[in-house]
Amino acid sequence: MIEAFFASLDASDFAEQLQSQLSIEVAQRQRMTEWKANLASMDRKARYRAKNRALLRHKQGMRRAAKLNAIPPWLTRNQERQILRLHEKAVELEFWSLIPHDLHHSSPLCGKSRASGDIAACGLHVPWNLEVLTREENLNLGARLEGDSSIPF
């Protein structure tokens, strides 16, 4: 079965894929070398901030959500770690792509209805309400809810 797979591959396609993979690895190594050299030139506080961007973003997001009373009392440590992992993923994507990434709340922490403009619902700062998007996509979405989101009580 493996021989059939390799026999079906065209040698030029295989060489092209290999070359592109090698160029990606070279670019990644170069980016990492530049980052390490940049770290060496920073003072102690700036170096800490550069190495711990995800943790600092996580703490800032938790503080902002706490001010809006968007952190439920039943949020577990495991769920908080899941949020931290999402921040780590955003920072990693930002590092390799050089495009700023943010966490987006599917249900905004303080959302307004597109129809009426009134505050319709407030989401929670929980892992299942978060997704990683580019900063541009996140800003284009804004803190608006789709349609008329009035919640019957």
Side-chain angles (χ1 to χ4, degrees):
M1 184 168 172
I2 294 175
E3 293 90 16
F5 172 74
F6 283 112
S8 68
L9 284 178
D10 186 17
S12 62
D13 289 342
F14 186 69
E16 189 176 305
Q17 286 179 337
L18 186 61
Q19 184 62 35
S20 68
Q21 182 64 30
L22 287 174
S23 65
I24 289 171
E25 289 175 5
V26 167
Q28 287 178 339
R29 260 189 260 119
Q30 181 181 1
R31 174 86 172 109
M32 188 61 81
T33 305
E34 290 171 1
W35 183 73
K36 286 180 181 178
N38 192 21
L39 274 182
S41 66
M42 294 178 179
D43 68 328
R44 193 170 140 243
K45 287 183 180 181
R47 194 169 34 250
Y48 178 83
R49 284 192 303 270
K51 285 183 175 182
N52 297 291
R53 286 183 77 157
L55 180 64
L56 295 174
R57 284 185 183 185
H58 172 68
K59 286 181 177 181
Q60 182 183 28
M62 293 297 282
R63 182 176 183 275
R64 188 172 49 248
K67 285 172 71 175
L68 293 171
N69 291 326
I71 299 177
W74 42 261
L75 188 72
T76 64
R77 292 262 188 227
N78 189 30
Q79 291 166 341
E80 196 171 330
R81 274 188 238 115
Q82 289 173 353
I83 295 172
L84 177 59
R85 280 195 290 274
L86 286 170
H87 281 286
E88 289 170 350
K89 180 180 176 185
V91 167
E92 182 179 353
L93 286 170
E94 188 172 310
F95 179 80
W96 293 116
S97 68
L98 299 176
I99 299 171
H101 285 73
D102 288 331
L103 289 188
H104 169 71
H105 290 86
S106 301
S107 177
L109 296 184
C110 191
K112 295 181 180 179
S113 172
R114 287 191 191 271
S116 64
D118 296 332
I119 294 179
C122 294
L124 296 175
H125 191 68
V126 290
W128 53 89
N129 190 30
L130 294 167
E131 61 182 329
V132 178
L133 293 178
T134 64
R135 185 165 295 154
E136 184 179 342
E137 291 173 332
N138 193 16
L139 291 174
N140 285 340
L141 289 173
R144 301 261 180 213
L145 298 168
E146 294 296 324
D148 187 17
S149 304
S150 55
I151 301 172
F153 290 102

